[in-house]
Amino acid sequence: MSKEAVYRFVSERKIGKRKDKCKVFYSRRQFDKAMGVDSELEPEYYTMPEAMARYNMTRDQISHYVRTHNIPRTYEGRYVRIDRKALDALFAPPKIG
């Protein structure tokens, strides 16, 4: 899309924006919804509270398993994001067969 088309599209659909110095950032969720794209895909990570609720464990227990089994994690500020596939694979029931 050209710049003019983006500006027109955003203003017609009243998509939220945020200015940071001389740059303008538009809400990706609102933009995707207006374009008809399904942006509500399953995230690739768990936050610590999500993992605690999903597996009914304490923060220390989750941290222990993440460290012991070398599960990939990233830090965004003070928030820990744990790889969803690796954690699900660790706690998946064993396959007999």
Side-chain angles (χ1 to χ4, degrees), residues 46-81:
Y46 285 123
T47 59
M48 188 61 79
E50 289 173 346
M52 290 167 53
R54 170 124 171 115
Y55 296 109
N56 195 21
M57 293 183 177
T58 64
R59 176 178 293 274
D60 291 339
Q61 289 171 324
I62 296 288
S63 296
H64 168 75
Y65 283 112
V66 167
R67 269 185 274 116
T68 304
H69 297 282
N70 295 325
I71 295 176
R73 65 184 180 263
T74 58
Y75 296 94
E76 289 190 12
R78 65 181 194 153
Y79 300 103
V80 179
R81 296 181 182 234

Side-chain angles (χ1 to χ4, degrees):
M1 294 177 87
S2 67
K3 267 190 191 180
E4 293 80 18
V6 170
Y7 293 147
R8 189 176 330 110
F9 184 81
V10 168
S11 66
E12 287 173 356
R13 288 165 177 81
K14 296 182 176 42
I15 294 175
K17 64 182 176 180
R18 175 179 60 90
K19 285 187 175 183
D20 186 18
K21 296 186 182 177
C22 62
K23 292 186 179 184
V24 178
F25 297 95
Y26 296 102
S27 169
R28 165 157 268 166
R29 183 176 296 147
Q30 290 178 1
F31 195 87
D32 287 347
K33 186 176 179 182
M35 291 288 288
V37 177
D38 184 22
S39 64
E40 296 299 322
L41 298 175
E42 186 173 301
E44 299 175 3
Y45 58 85
Y46 285 123
T47 59
M48 188 61 79
E50 289 173 346
M52 290 167 53
R54 170 124 171 115
Y55 296 109
N56 195 21
M57 293 183 177
T58 64
R59 176 178 293 274
D60 291 339
Q61 289 171 324
I62 296 288
S63 296
H64 168 75
Y65 283 112
V66 167
R67 269 185 274 116
T68 304
H69 297 282
N70 295 325
I71 295 176
R73 65 184 180 263
T74 58
Y75 296 94
E76 289 190 12
R78 65 181 194 153
Y79 300 103
V80 179
R81 296 181 182 234
I82 304 165
D83 184 45
R84 180 180 288 264
K85 288 181 183 178
L87 197 62
D88 287 343
L90 176 66
F91 292 123
K95 293 185 179 181
I96 300 172

